């Protein structure tokens, strides 16, 4: 790009940082449906959309309506501000206020005629402003309400036993189970203390099955030894918090129960079903055969779990997650009401219903479980129900196989009974569905197939949090516990899983509830960026900011807020400058939705349940530089094929290798599909299976798996022989994934230099462009040579400024390209490789000029504070000063905007030079005007803006607006009588709380090469 065009790009990007110019819907459609054969045109469209992103790629927000404390003025104000600043969609969540005891005044009752009028107004206004609306289909979360009766609520199974000696005629009532038998260690489901110990007659107990087992050995017939340690997990009764790691959840259920010499198993053929022996009044009449018998009564109770922070008028039991009736009742009682209000409003803004994060403990039963089990597994489970009470039926291994099938049934019931049915109901009514359906769960051990749950959603969704002190050094380190960093080994818990689900199920977006925290008003765009970029590299490309709480203007500032979440709405101090950050999000999301995700490896996560994807990590044997997806059994069976030796998905995703889990158990259907894929040319890496995991078709199933595996793996033993050719494909065992790829001449997709550096990446590919997003994960400046597995000429696009550098110095290394890059703290770039540009030697103008000339703007600054917020109208700073350390209360406790003025003389020659104004340290966001020219918002490192085109010789007039955050004013107000306070909120700060550094701390310097 020549100099004059480059300046135009810089000028344009500065203007965009001030005011977003979004494309109209027709233009957006053109960008999203371009002709892939015209590479020059597609690049031009990509550039246009990057500079001025379409509405579809804007960030969203959780628009909480707490206690109905809203009015028309506030609704219109919020939506107009969202549109103007760059929020394109909202998720409306109705809830009681607070969380954690935070009080919230009462407004309109949920579903009252007054509330409905406000809902219609919101939908009309959203339609007028082009903002999409989704609604959470519950008050609070998860899903339920007063219309959910006990029989349609979440269930736990219970069991009791009775020993009888025959022969005899028995006539009597069987003992009922205890209300919490098998649930002695429950500690985490919502509100459990209110229901766990209720009498059984208040828990809607119902029978499922009554069987008798011939058991001469009493308790010796039960599972024992080390196997007992995983019993609660295998029977789906293990409680855990959302802090539990994925491997800790799945590991105990995968631990095999092997037969032991001292086992006293009960023969399956001796199990007698007593269902036809029960009379109408519940009396069992049975001619007991000779021998020692144990009657096992299996039934179920409602868990008693209720919604979290629901409004009283909409509170109630949580639904049965394992059966379709619960969600149908919910849709009938709430979904249709909302659809009716949208119709009355004549609004098309309502686009989807949402089921917010699953946080309902671990329901493990449903009244129709026998029917569902037979449908999923093909055999009658009743003879094996005593296994749930610890008895060994058939053998320890056979009992383990039944428990595998039971857990899979629970997972399939959840995926199909709830999430699939919810999607059907939404689609039947012209809506999409969004589910945060795979945790982190309130009970981390809910028996779910997380990918299958997410795959039932049009907008699969997860979440990511900010740690309580995430902005302090060391608190993001990989070794920090989850409670400190809200990360697992440096990564978000569920976002890689959501991204994989999006990729393998053919969805265009991977969504996340973003920036959840308990750090009230302590975060601004600068320290949100590192969390955002981490999620982008994990595959998230649709963020929904948590929270954009609705408020009434008359409730003052900062107004009433939720007890959690990063507050991001018109009431925050820096809202007027938020468009720059929202533009960054929109630019990134546009490019991160373009084309398809690039990954060389597809990991098969196995067929067991619970089935959860680990956070993004460097898989052992693969190493750094490659990316991957994870798939489940359903996708392997129904969506994988092979073309040109690549493993393909019908939506265009492809992978070079398929990696199997380290488990010798494999279902019949899976090995038959693997055989098909390998014969067609797939490369598969993994251990040779020897048997099936469940009882379906057992034992013939084991024989089939073994015979097929013998043929597919051939003589491979993982040591002397590691490869077998089968059909057109290959099977490896004992060889690392990395070596297989390297031997196939597939080099790492992205590499970087610097032993202590940490540069994360994600790669997307369109028909004509390769798009890499790379980010410095460290809170310090780094330099690195970055290598990309692309043989094209690179460009560098900066999503913060909008600058697009087309002539990037690079080196060719075989079929790859390397670039010397410099990163500020947490800085990110897009590296674009257009198809239309052939690789050529470029003018080696430095990409990062050496800024050896520095001039600090010392001396006095005139600073204007807003007297309305307690600050002095004019004050002189002899030097740049942290407001929180100032002697004057009006400055020390000030929250809001202050304007710094300085006149300085420039005596440098600047023609042909790159000149920056560097602000040093800013708390927390700034904008710069030089000689009357607005140069835009500066919100992240490097805290600098190019000024060469606006800097004059001689006298220059500089104006810098700086905005800090609310805590300092709230802390100052805490020491004042209520009538003297300038703020109003429900969030409590104490007068002794530490003040936050605030203002322009500098040093402010002019830098040039």
């Amino acid at each position: 790009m020549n100099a004059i065009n480059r300046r135009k790009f810089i000028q344009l990007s500065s203007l965009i940082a001030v005011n977003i110019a979004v494309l109209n819907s027709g233009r957006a459609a053109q960008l999203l449906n371009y002709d892939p054969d015209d590479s020059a045109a597609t690049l031009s469209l990509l550039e246009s959309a990057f500079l001025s992103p379409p509405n579809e790629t804007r960030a969203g927000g959780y628009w909480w309506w707490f206690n109905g404390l809203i009015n028309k003025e506030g609704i219109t104000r919020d939506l107009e501000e969202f549109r103007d600043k760059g929020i394109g969609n909202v998720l409306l969540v109705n809830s009681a206020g607070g969380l954690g005891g935070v009080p919230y005044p009462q407004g309109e009752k949920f579903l009252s005629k007054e509330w409905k009028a406000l809902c219609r107004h919101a939908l009309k206004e959203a339609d007028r402003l082009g903002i999409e609306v989704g609604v959470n289909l519950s008050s609070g979360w998860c899903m339920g309400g007063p219309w959910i009766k006990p029989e349609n609520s979440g269930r736990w199974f219970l069991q009791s036993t009775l020993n009888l000696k025959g022969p005899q005629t028995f006539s009597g009532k069987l003992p009922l189970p205890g209300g919490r038998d098998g649930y002695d260690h429950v500690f985490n489901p919502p509100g459990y203390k209110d229901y766990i110990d209720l009498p059984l007659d208040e828990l809607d107990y119902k029978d499922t099955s009554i069987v008798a087992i011939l058991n001469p050995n009493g308790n010796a017939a039960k599972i024992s030894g080390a196997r007992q340690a995983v019993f609660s997990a295998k029977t789906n009764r293990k409680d855990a918090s959302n802090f539990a790691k994925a491997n800790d959840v799945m590991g105990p259920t995968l631990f095999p129960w092997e037969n032991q010499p001292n086992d006293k198993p009960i023969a399956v053929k001796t199990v007698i079903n007593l269902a036809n022996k029960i009379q109408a009044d519940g009396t069992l009449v049975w001619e007991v055969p000779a021998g020692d018998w144990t009657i096992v009564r299996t039934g179920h109770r409602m868990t008693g779990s209720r919604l979290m922070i629901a409004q009283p008028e909409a509170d109630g039991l949580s639904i049965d997650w394992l059966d379709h009736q619960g969600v149908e009742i919910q849709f009938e009682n709430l979904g249709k009401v909302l659809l009716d209000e949208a119709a009355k409003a004549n609004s098309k803004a309502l686009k989807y219903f949402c089921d917010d994060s699953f946080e309902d403990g671990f329901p493990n039963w449903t009244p129709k479980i026998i029917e569902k089990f037979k449908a999923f597994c093909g055999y009658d489970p009743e003879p094996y129900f005593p296994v749930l009470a610890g008895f060994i039926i058939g053998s320890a291994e056979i009992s383990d196989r039944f428990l595998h099938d039971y857990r899979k049934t629970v997972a399939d019931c959840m995926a199909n009974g709830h999430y699939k049915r919810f999607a059907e109901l939404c689609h039947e009514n012209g809506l999409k569905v969004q589910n945060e359906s795979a945790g982190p769960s309130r009970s981390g051990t809910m028996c779910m197939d997380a990918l299958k749950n997410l795959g039932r959603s049009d907008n699969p969704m997860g979440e990511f949090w900010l740690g309580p002190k995430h902005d302090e050094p060391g608190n993001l380190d990989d070794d920090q516990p989850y409670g400190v960093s809200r990360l697992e080994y440096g990564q978000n818990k569920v976002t890689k899983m959501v991204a994989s689900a999006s990729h393998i199920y053919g969805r265009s977006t991977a969504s996340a509830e973003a920036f959840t925290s308990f750090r009230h008003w302590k975060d601004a765009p600068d320290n949100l960026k590192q969390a955002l970029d981490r999620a982008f590299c994990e595959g998230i490309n649709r963020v929904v900011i948590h929270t954009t709480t609705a408020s009434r203007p008359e409730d003052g500032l900062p107004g009433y807020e939720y007890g959690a979440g990063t507050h991001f709405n018109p009431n925050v101090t820096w809202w007027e400058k938020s468009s720059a950050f929202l533009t960054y999000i929109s630019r990134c999301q546009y490019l991160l939705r373009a084309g398809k995700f690039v990954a060389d490896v597809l990991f098969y996560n196995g067929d067991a349940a619970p089935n959860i994807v680990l956070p993004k990590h460097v898989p052992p044997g693969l190493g750094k530089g490659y990316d991957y997806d994870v798939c489940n059994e359903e996708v392997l069976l129904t969506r994988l094929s092979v073309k040109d030796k690549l493993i393909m998905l019908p939506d265009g995703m492809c992978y070079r290798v398929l990696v199997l889990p380290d488990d010798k158990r494999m279902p019949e259907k899976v090995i038959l599909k693997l055989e098909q894929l390998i014969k067609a040319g797939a490369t598969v890496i993994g251990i040779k299976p020897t048997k099936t995991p469940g009882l379906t078709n057992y034992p013939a199933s084991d024989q089939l798996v073994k015979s097929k595996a013998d043929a597919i793996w051939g003589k491979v033993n993982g040591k002397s022989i590691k490869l077998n050719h089968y059909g057109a494909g290959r099977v490896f065992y004992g060889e690392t994934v990395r070596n297989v790829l390297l031997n196939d001449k597939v080099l790492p997709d992205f590499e970087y230099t610097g032993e202590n550096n940490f540069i994360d990446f994600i790669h997307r590919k369109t028909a004509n462009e390769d798009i890499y997003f790379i980010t410095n994960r460290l809170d310090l400046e780094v330099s690195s040579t970055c290598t990309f597995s692309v043989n094209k000429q690179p460009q560098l696009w900066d999503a913060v400024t909008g600058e697009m550098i087309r002539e990037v110095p690079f080196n060719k290394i075989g079929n790859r390209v390397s670039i010397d890059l410099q990163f500020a703290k947490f800085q990110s770039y897009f590296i674009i490789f257009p198809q239309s540009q052939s690789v050529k030697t470029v003018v080696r103008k430095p990409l990062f000029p050496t800024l050896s000339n520095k001039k600090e703007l010392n001396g006095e600054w005139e600073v204007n504070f807003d007297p309305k917020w307690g600050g002095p109208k004019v004050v002189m700073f002899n030097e740049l000063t942290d407001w929180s350390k100032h002697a004057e209360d009006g400055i020390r406790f000030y929250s809001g905007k202050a304007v710094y003025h300085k006149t300085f003389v420039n005596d440098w020659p600047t023609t042909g030079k790159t000149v920056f104004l560097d602000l040093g340290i800013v708390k927390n966001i700034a904008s710069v005007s030089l000689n009357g020219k607005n140069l835009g918002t500066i919100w992240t490192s490097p805290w600098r803006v190019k000024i060469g085109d606006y800097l004059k010789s001689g006298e220059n007039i500089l104006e810098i607006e700086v905005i800090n955050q609310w805590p300092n004013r709230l802390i100052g107000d805490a020491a004042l009588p209520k009538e003297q306070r300038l703020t109003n909120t429900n969030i409590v700060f104490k007068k002794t709380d530490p003040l936050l550094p605030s203002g322009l701390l500098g040093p402010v310097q002019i830098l040039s090469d």
Side-chain angles (χ1 to χ4, degrees):
M1 184 187 297
N2 61 43
I4 186 167
N5 285 337
R6 177 158 174 159
R7 279 198 295 272
K8 286 181 179 178
F9 268 111
I10 295 168
Q11 292 172 23
L12 180 57
S13 66
S14 297
L15 291 173
I16 289 171
V18 179
N19 184 23
I20 307 171
V22 297
L23 302 174
N24 62 39
S25 59
R27 178 67 165 160
Q30 181 184 7
L31 287 164
L32 296 172
N33 298 282
Y34 54 76
D35 179 3
D37 294 327
D38 189 345
S39 58
T42 63
L43 178 60
S44 176
L45 290 171
L46 204 68
E47 292 171 343
S48 298
F50 177 72
L51 291 173
S52 186
N55 282 345
E56 289 87 343
T57 64
R58 287 182 164 204
Y62 273 71
W63 198 32
W64 288 89
W65 287 14
F66 287 113
N67 278 357
L69 193 70
I70 48 173
N71 58 21
K72 289 184 177 181
E73 293 76 18
I75 288 169
T76 296
R77 187 276 309 265
D78 280 0
L79 293 175
E80 287 182 346
E81 287 291 331
F82 292 161
R83 188 272 315 272
D84 291 345
K85 298 301 185 295
I87 289 176
N89 59 88
V90 293
L91 170 58
L92 175 54
V93 186
N94 293 275
S95 178
L99 190 71
V102 174
Y104 215 98
Q106 181 63 52
E108 306 298 349
K109 298 286 188 179
F110 185 52
L111 299 183
S112 66
K113 66 177 183 179
E114 294 82 6
W115 181 92
K116 289 179 180 177
L118 291 169
C119 180
R120 292 194 299 273
H121 177 73
L123 291 171
K124 287 179 181 178
E125 290 293 81
D127 206 8
R128 174 176 69 87
L129 297 165
I131 291 177
E132 295 186 352
V133 178
V135 183
N136 190 52
L137 204 64
S138 183
S139 178
W141 73 91
C142 303
M143 189 180 279
W147 40 78
I148 299 299
K149 305 306 178 187
E151 61 268 26
N152 297 120
S153 67
R155 318 297 290 182
W156 278 336
F157 73 81
L158 298 172
Q159 291 178 301
S160 66
T161 59
L162 175 66
N163 294 322
L164 296 175
K165 192 172 185 67
Q168 66 162 300
T169 299
F170 176 81
S171 178
K173 298 287 184 70
L174 298 177
L176 289 167
R180 64 179 301 175
D181 285 357
Y183 303 90
D184 297 331
H185 303 293
V186 170
F187 72 97
N188 192 58
Y192 72 97
K193 292 181 181 179
D194 295 329
Y195 60 76
I196 184 67
D197 288 318
L198 289 175
L200 201 62
D201 59 2
E202 296 182 30
L203 293 171
D204 189 48
Y205 175 82
K206 297 287 191 301
D207 280 327
T208 295
S209 169
I210 298 173
V211 299
I213 55 177
L214 184 59
N215 179 25
N217 297 301
N219 285 335
K222 289 191 170 184
I223 202 77
S224 61
R227 300 170 298 181
Q228 177 65 31
V230 297
F231 180 70
S232 64
K234 282 183 175 287
T235 56
N236 198 12
R237 285 180 286 194
K238 181 182 173 73
D239 196 8
S241 75
N242 59 3
F243 284 30
K245 294 180 173 63
N247 275 335
D248 295 337
V249 171
M250 295 185 289
T253 63
L254 295 172
F255 176 79
W257 276 358
E258 296 178 349
N259 299 331
Q260 299 294 333
N262 294 328
D263 286 347
K264 307 292 183 182
I266 294 154
V268 179
K269 64 183 180 181
T270 68
V271 180
I272 300 175
N273 193 321
L274 300 178
N276 61 351
K277 309 295 183 184
I278 304 295
Q279 297 186 344
D281 65 353
T283 300
L284 172 68
V285 179
W286 181 37
E287 293 294 330
V288 183
D292 296 304
W293 296 86
T294 298
I295 297 176
V296 180
R297 180 180 196 172
T298 303
H300 52 94
R301 55 163 282 184
M302 65 175 184
T303 66
S305 177
R306 301 176 71 86
L307 299 176
M308 296 186 69
I309 64 168
Q311 292 146 284
E313 62 272 18
D315 194 12
L317 293 168
S318 300
I319 65 167
D320 181 352
W321 294 91
L322 309 183
D323 185 81
H324 61 89
Q325 287 186 327
V327 71
E328 288 173 354
I329 294 169
Q330 189 77 5
F331 205 94
E332 184 69 28
N333 285 273
L334 182 53
K336 288 189 176 179
V337 172
L338 295 167
L339 287 166
D340 186 51
E341 295 308 314
K344 290 177 182 177
N346 193 27
S347 171
K348 297 181 180 179
L350 182 60
K351 300 299 184 184
Y352 66 89
F353 283 152
C354 176
D355 191 356
D356 197 34
S357 55
F358 175 82
E359 299 182 29
D360 197 29
F362 52 101
N364 59 23
W365 209 253
T366 188
K368 297 179 181 177
I369 195 165
I370 294 176
E371 173 187 326
K372 295 175 186 293
F373 191 104
K374 289 178 178 178
F376 287 126
C377 300
Y379 67 94
D380 184 1
E382 284 193 81
Y384 300 94
F385 281 168
V387 174
L388 297 169
F391 292 100
I392 302 174
I393 302 295
S395 69
E397 182 190 351
I398 287 174
S399 298
D400 198 13
R401 287 171 179 258
F402 161 72
L403 291 176
H404 168 275
D405 292 340
Y406 155 67
R407 293 192 306 274
K408 279 206 69 178
T409 296
V410 170
D412 285 340
C413 284
M414 187 180 199
N416 294 327
H418 180 74
Y419 289 110
K420 181 181 179 181
R421 185 62 184 135
F422 185 30
E424 290 170 348
L425 291 166
C426 290
H427 295 164
E428 289 166 8
N429 287 276
L431 298 178
K432 291 185 176 181
V433 63
Q434 174 175 297
N435 299 312
E436 196 174 332
S437 53
S441 161
R442 176 75 182 216
S443 173
T445 51
M446 175 61 202
C447 194
M448 64 174 70
D449 182 332
L451 290 171
K452 186 178 285 189
N453 286 354
L454 290 164
R456 302 297 183 263
S457 180
D458 300 305
N459 295 330
M461 190 174 197
E463 62 185 56
F464 63 90
W465 284 58
L466 303 176
K469 296 182 179 180
H470 76 101
D471 55 341
E472 297 181 14
N475 283 329
L476 295 176
D477 291 352
D478 289 358
D479 59 355
Q480 291 294 330
Y482 183 73
V484 172
S485 67
R486 291 290 178 173
L487 303 172
E488 193 170 305
Y489 303 119
Q491 299 291 156
N492 294 305
K493 286 181 73 73
V494 301
T495 45
K496 181 66 175 178
M497 174 166 58
V498 171
S500 280
S502 173
H503 303 154
I504 63 177
Y505 281 97
R507 307 295 185 252
S508 61
T509 60
S511 305
E513 168 194 321
F515 312 126
T516 306
S517 77
F518 297 105
R519 290 170 46 85
H520 302 292
W521 297 293
K522 292 181 181 177
D523 288 298
D526 173 44
N527 58 8
L528 300 179
K529 184 177 183 294
Q530 57 83 15
L532 177 67
D533 289 351
R534 180 189 305 111
F536 282 157
C537 287
E538 291 163 334
I540 295 300
N541 59 13
R542 180 177 176 268
V543 300
V544 186
I545 298 169
H546 188 242
T547 65
T548 52
T549 303
S551 63
R552 303 182 305 182
E554 61 263 35
D555 290 325
L557 296 174
Y560 299 115
E561 269 295 356
Y562 186 30
T566 292
H567 310 316
F568 201 112
N569 61 19
N571 287 352
V572 296
T573 53
W574 41 264
W575 176 256
E576 67 179 81
K577 300 189 187 301
S578 62
S579 62
F581 178 58
L582 291 168
T583 301
Y584 174 77
I585 294 176
S586 193
R587 285 175 178 155
C588 290
Q589 292 190 159
Y590 177 77
L591 291 179
L592 293 174
R593 294 182 200 175
K596 299 294 181 184
F597 171 62
V598 175
D600 290 304
V601 183
L602 180 63
F603 287 93
Y604 169 48
N605 223 36
D607 75 308
N611 200 325
I612 308 169
V613 176
L614 273 64
K616 182 179 177 180
H617 62 287
V618 178
L622 179 60
K624 293 182 178 180
Y626 298 97
D627 214 336
Y628 65 93
D629 269 329
V630 180
C631 79
N632 57 356
E633 180 188 35
E634 178 179 61
V635 166
L636 187 147
L637 293 176
T638 64
R639 290 178 57 81
L640 292 189
S641 62
V642 177
K643 181 180 180 181
D644 298 330
K645 298 190 179 297
L646 295 175
I647 297 160
M648 303 292 299
L649 286 162
D651 319 286
M653 280 290 304
C654 63
Y655 311 90
R656 296 182 184 275
V657 298
L658 175 68
V659 181
L660 305 179
D662 190 16
D663 191 337
K664 291 186 177 181
R665 295 167 289 190
M666 181 177 289
E668 289 178 284
K669 292 182 291 186
V670 171
I671 199 163
L672 290 172
K673 182 59 182 279
L674 284 179
E675 180 184 43
Q676 174 189 334
L677 294 173
I678 296 166
K679 277 185 174 179
T683 296
V684 173
I685 304 172
I687 192 170
K688 176 182 176 180
T690 59
K691 59 184 178 181
T692 58
L695 282 178
T696 303
N697 297 331
Y698 177 79
S701 57
D702 278 11
Q703 297 167 1
L704 183 143
V705 167
K706 189 176 186 308
S707 64
K708 288 293 183 184
D710 286 342
I712 295 168
W713 269 260
K715 296 181 179 180
V716 167
N717 57 25
K719 296 178 181 178
S720 59
I721 303 173
K722 299 182 179 181
L723 166 64
N724 187 49
H725 291 276
Y726 187 75
R730 303 174 298 173
V731 180
F732 289 90
Y733 172 55
E735 187 63 272
T736 67
V737 186
R738 192 178 190 90
N739 282 346
V740 171
L741 291 170
L742 291 175
N743 289 335
D744 287 346
K745 308 298 189 234
V746 180
L747 298 176
D749 193 19
F750 174 76
E751 293 182 292
Y752 60 90
T753 61
E755 183 178 352
N756 296 318
N757 289 344
F758 185 2
I759 301 171
D760 209 349
F761 84 104
I762 190 167
H763 181 187
R764 306 277 302 189
K765 185 175 180 61
T766 70
N768 295 306
E769 295 90 15
D770 283 271
I771 301 169
Y772 287 82
F773 176 77
I774 59 175
T775 186
N776 173 22
R777 289 280 298 274
L778 302 179
D779 190 18
L780 51 87
E781 298 177 0
V782 303
S783 298
S784 180
T785 299
C786 296
T787 302
F788 306 83
S789 196
V790 179
N791 189 23
K792 304 180 193 176
Q793 185 167 320
Q795 299 184 12
L796 185 150
W797 295 8
D798 188 338
V800 172
T801 65
E803 184 175 4
M804 306 162 75
I805 301 174
R806 292 187 176 180
E807 293 186 353
V808 173
F810 67 93
N811 290 306
K812 276 198 72 195
I813 307 173
N815 288 323
R816 301 199 295 170
V817 163
S818 70
I819 310 171
D820 294 329
L821 293 170
Q822 296 175 13
F823 297 83
K825 300 176 181 181
F826 297 127
Q827 190 170 21
S828 59
Y829 305 113
F830 281 95
I831 307 298
I832 310 293
F833 295 88
Q835 183 68 42
S836 59
Q837 295 195 355
S838 60
V839 178
K840 62 182 180 180
T841 303
V842 301
V843 177
R844 300 200 64 83
K845 179 181 178 181
L847 186 58
F848 301 95
T850 302
L851 303 175
S852 55
N853 298 311
K854 300 181 181 181
K855 179 179 181 179
E856 184 172 347
L857 300 184
N858 293 314
E860 286 189 333
W861 293 79
E862 178 187 303
V863 187
N864 305 135
F865 291 88
D866 187 346
K868 184 176 73 172
W869 290 101
K873 185 174 183 179
V874 180
V875 67
M876 300 302 296
F877 283 0
N878 293 326
E879 60 182 1
L880 293 175
T881 301
D882 181 348
W883 302 348
S884 69
K885 299 184 183 303
H886 202 279
E888 185 175 337
D889 284 356
I891 297 175
R892 185 164 70 256
F893 296 124
Y894 185 82
S895 291
K897 179 168 67 177
V899 185
Y900 289 72
H901 303 270
K902 177 178 280 292
T903 299
F904 66 93
V905 174
N906 173 43
D907 54 7
W908 286 4
T910 57
T911 303
K913 291 184 176 293
T914 303
V915 186
F916 290 95
L917 179 72
D918 188 296
L919 302 186
I921 297 174
V922 178
K923 298 294 182 180
N924 293 96
I925 196 167
S927 60
V928 173
S929 175
L930 181 61
N931 297 320
K933 181 64 177 178
N934 187 347
L935 302 185
T937 297
I938 307 176
W939 60 272
T940 188
S941 62
W943 293 88
R944 58 179 60 157
V945 63
K946 288 184 177 179
I947 62 172
D949 290 341
Y950 313 106
L951 184 65
K952 301 187 299 186
S953 296
E955 188 173 274
N956 289 263
I957 300 173
L958 176 63
E959 183 177 286
I960 304 173
E961 295 182 353
V962 177
I963 304 178
N964 71 336
Q965 307 204 73
W966 277 120
N968 290 0
R969 183 66 266 163
L970 293 168
I971 292 165
D973 278 6
L976 299 175
K978 189 171 183 178
E979 63 273 10
Q980 295 181 23
R981 296 175 184 174
L982 303 178
T983 56
N984 180 57
T985 183
N986 58 329
I987 306 295
V988 175
F989 278 78
K990 294 180 283 193
K991 64 182 180 181
T992 55
D993 286 340
L995 298 175
L996 302 184
S998 297
L1000 179 61
L1001 309 185
V1004 177
Q1005 301 178 89
I1006 297 175
L1007 310 175
S1008 77
D1009 54 6

